[in-house]
Amino acid sequence: MGKQALSGVAEAWRRAEARLNQCVSQSRPGRYFKLEARKSTFTRELRAGLTTFVTMAYIISVNSSILTDSGGPCTARDCSPEQADPKSLHSSGPSDDCRLRHNPGFERCLSETKSDLVVATAVAAAIASIAMGCIANLPLALAPGMGANAFFSYNMVGFHGTGPLSYGTALAAVMLEGGIFFFISALGLRGRLARLIPRGIRLASAAGIGLFLAFTGLQAGQGVALVGPSPSTLVTLDPGTLARPTFWLGVAGFVLTATCLARGVNGGMIYGIMFVAVVSWFRSTAVTLFPPTAEGDAAFAYFRKVVDFHAINRTAWKMDFGGLKNRAVWVPLLTLLYVDILDTTGSMYSIAEYGGFMTEEKEGFEGEYRAFLVDTGATVVSAAMGTTTVTTYIESTAGIREGGRTGLTAVVVAAGFVAALFFAPLLTSVPPWAVGPALVVVGMMMMRMVREIEWGEAREAVPAFLTMILMPLTFSIANGIIAGIGMHVAIHLYDYVAAVARWLGRTREAVGEGRNQVSAALSEGQAEAAPPV
């Protein structure tokens, strides 16, 4: 009897779902999103959108944590007077700067900045995803990209503002890069520029950024603190790490994430982060995020709110375009543009190929031009709110695998990010030992590009290896790219010179033949004009 009842309920649910799908497909929104034309349904798009959101929701906490490392708009002026060294306000040496020491005032500023960046990340992802769905009608989800955020925090602004650029100047550079990228996309030059970059360097850049992120996840700050500095070997295993319970909790989260990925479970990364975070939220444990201190009590009081909408107070509209006069801006700006061209364009083509959206000639996909304009425009909006460049997430393939074929999938993803805006207390309470393993996993996923490099061909392998290895070892994405391109030019210099010499030779021969023809014609003309003897 029970089985018959369950069977009847299931059948009734299927009929109701079919009626709902038919109703939506024939409605104006259904026709706009081409549900029937692309052989999809409303409920299938809904499931696809939820799947994509779950697989990429980790970016809210990870991106905000990485960008907070830059210090955001916080300066030495935010330090508590009783602990700040007055000389540090005018000191050029970072060693005696209050930003690099534990300071209650600066920590409060960082906490507010992180809350702002949680909201900025979610809003940027929501705006970009809903624009992609409604304008380009593609099941592509967008959010501030990994790699660009690390470059912004650790190379452009520097840890707690100790780099060459201020937070405002760096944001202005991101917005300018977005504008330039929009102009390039509008002219239809985006794909051509991507193809101009040597293939080996394109592939190695993604892998190098993956190593950079993994190295960051293994350090203290935004990682599990497994590795640290060494006076003799520069970097080494931190001997005190293995005795810290938080490290082993992070390892457990990493194993959980890796197991989910190995078994094809969607959302494995967010599950690992959630597991570590939830365990760390319990007080009176060795791994608690809320120690029995005044700061721990304040953080726990905010965490207990669970639901709270946080307005962006510190990071919005902080661009300093006057700082663009600084020459130190232009190399990072070009690096951002380079990474954006490779990352976003490459991801879009890969996802379009996976989803079967490419044309028969394999030269593009439906809605490509509008999709390019959406993601570049989203970067401008993202910079205005205080975060970094927006990119198309490869996690979109999870939703496509669930049957997503239209922009309705992206709209559902956007709805997920909007809902996340109301859980700022939870999202800002994710510990670094939960974020670090996620960075290592992201790095691992980006290493898949290495297999496509022609390692047997030295002309491609040497520049690619330099690009890849120098990013983590110099802790600079720009250094790796510059070294790779420089080596590519050096290796191919003989070929370039030989090609120019051949061109000059052909030009000289063509000019010589032309002169001979002209001389012959003139001689012929003179002979005909001469009077007979």
Side-chain angles (χ1 to χ4, degrees):
M1 190 69 175
K3 291 183 178 180
Q4 291 180 351
L6 290 176
S7 178
V9 171
E11 181 61 29
W13 173 261
R14 283 193 293 268
R15 287 197 298 267
E17 182 180 1
R19 286 196 297 269
L20 175 64
N21 288 331
Q22 184 178 9
C23 181
V24 174
S25 296
Q26 295 177 354
S27 67
R28 186 172 181 180
R31 292 192 299 272
Y32 177 82
F33 286 110
K34 302 180 180 178
L35 289 174
E36 289 186 351
R38 297 189 182 178
K39 299 179 181 179
S40 186
T41 63
F42 172 72
T43 54
R44 188 181 300 164
E45 297 290 319
L46 182 62
R47 287 194 300 269
L50 291 175
T51 300
T52 300
F53 173 73
V54 169
T55 59
M56 63 180 291
Y58 69 90
I59 191 59
I60 301 176
S61 58
V62 173
N63 187 61
S64 59
S65 296
I66 290 177
L67 293 181
T68 301
D69 269 358
S70 72
C74 302
T75 65
R77 296 184 183 88
D78 296 294
C79 293
S80 299
E82 65 274 11
Q83 292 194 15
D85 182 359
K87 297 180 181 179
S88 69
L89 297 177
H90 307 284
S91 173
S92 59
S95 59
D96 57 353
D97 196 317
C98 66
R99 296 172 296 176
L100 301 180
R101 302 192 303 269
H102 177 71
N103 183 282
F106 195 75
E107 293 295 330
R108 282 194 297 272
C109 182
L110 288 180
S111 178
E112 294 175 10
T113 298
K114 186 174 183 180
S115 297
D116 282 7
L117 291 171
V118 164
V119 175
T121 302
V123 170
I127 292 175
S129 296
I130 198 169
M132 181 64 73
C134 293
I135 297 175
N137 195 20
L138 289 169
L140 307 180
L142 298 89
M146 297 295 293
N149 54 7
F151 179 69
F152 180 93
S153 291
Y154 304 121
N155 296 148
M156 294 178 71
V157 183
F159 182 75
H160 287 186
T162 55
L165 304 178
S166 69
Y167 179 71
T169 300
L171 284 180
V174 172
M175 180 170 282
L176 178 59
E177 183 270 335
I180 294 172
F181 202 21
F182 183 89
F183 182 71
I184 291 172
S185 300
L187 292 178
L189 301 176
R190 183 167 170 172
R192 295 180 182 179
L193 283 178
R195 287 188 288 271
L196 283 177
I197 300 168
R199 177 179 177 274
I201 295 178
R202 290 202 309 266
L203 298 171
S205 293
I209 292 172
L211 289 174
F212 184 92
L213 290 173
F215 187 44
T216 302
L218 293 175
Q219 298 181 70
Q222 289 309 323
V224 294
L226 179 63
V227 298
S230 168
S232 56
T233 61
L234 301 182
V235 64
T236 186
L237 179 72
D238 190 335
T241 297
L242 299 181
R244 297 190 187 106
T246 53
F247 167 74
W248 293 107
L249 179 59
V251 170
F254 178 79
V255 172
L256 175 61
T257 300
T259 302
C260 290
L261 291 176
R263 295 186 174 275
V265 178
N266 291 324
M269 197 173 303
I270 193 64
Y271 296 150
I273 294 175
M274 288 175 60
F275 167 74
V276 176
V278 170
V279 174
S280 303
W281 289 339
F282 289 97
R283 304 199 76 177
S284 303
T285 66
V287 295
T288 184
L289 183 64
F290 310 111
T293 62
E295 294 178 6
D297 293 340
F300 186 68
Y302 179 63
F303 164 76
R304 290 182 62 183
K305 291 182 178 180
V306 180
V307 177
D308 181 48
F309 181 80
H310 176 86
I312 303 177
N313 300 313
R314 288 181 173 270
T315 64
W317 302 105
K318 293 298 182 180
M319 296 81 65
D320 177 17
F321 289 98
L324 295 178
K325 298 176 182 178
N326 186 353
R327 293 182 179 180
V329 171
W330 297 103
V331 170
L333 190 150
L334 292 175
T335 302
L336 280 176
L337 183 61
Y338 172 92
V339 173
D340 220 358
I341 289 174
L342 292 183
D343 187 12
T344 308
T345 309
S347 296
M348 276 195 182
Y349 280 124
S350 298
I351 297 170
E353 181 75 32
Y354 178 84
F357 301 119
M358 298 293 288
T359 60
E360 293 182 1
E361 297 80 11
K362 302 291 184 181
E363 294 181 355
F365 53 91
E366 182 182 355
E368 175 185 310
Y369 184 76
R370 294 189 297 274
F372 284 167
L373 295 183
V374 165
D375 74 345
T376 52
T379 291
V380 176
V381 176
S382 180
M385 291 183 290
T387 184
T388 49
T389 54
V390 170
T391 183
T392 302
Y393 267 64
I394 201 71
E395 284 83 354
S396 299
T397 55
I400 293 174
R401 190 167 59 243
E402 289 293 319
R405 288 294 180 273
T406 75
L408 196 56
T409 295
V411 173
V412 175
V413 174
F417 281 111
V418 170
L421 291 173
F422 299 94
F423 295 94
L426 299 181
L427 295 171
T428 55
S429 300
V430 177
W433 50 90
V435 175
L439 293 179
V440 175
V441 172
V442 171
M444 176 274 297
M445 296 172 69
M446 297 179 75
M447 287 296 294
R448 70 182 67 177
M449 308 301 294
V450 173
R451 64 184 178 184
E452 299 182 27
I453 297 175
E454 295 292 339
W455 293 109
E457 175 56 54
R459 293 187 179 189
E460 180 174 324
V462 174
F465 182 74
L466 280 179
T467 300
M468 186 169 57
I469 200 65
L470 287 181
M471 286 185 183
L473 292 186
T474 64
F475 214 70
S476 170
I477 294 172
N479 287 346
I481 293 172
I482 292 171
I485 292 177
M487 180 54 66
H488 175 84
V489 172
I491 289 178
H492 290 81
L493 185 60
Y494 176 81
D495 296 333
Y496 298 148
V497 172
V500 171
R502 287 194 298 270
W503 178 80
L504 290 174
R506 287 194 300 268
T507 302
R508 185 178 300 173
E509 290 178 2
V511 171
E513 290 178 2
R515 287 177 178 175
N516 292 336
Q517 290 176 0
V518 170
S519 299
L522 289 175
S523 299
E524 229 176 89
Q526 291 174 356
E528 291 177 358
V533 179

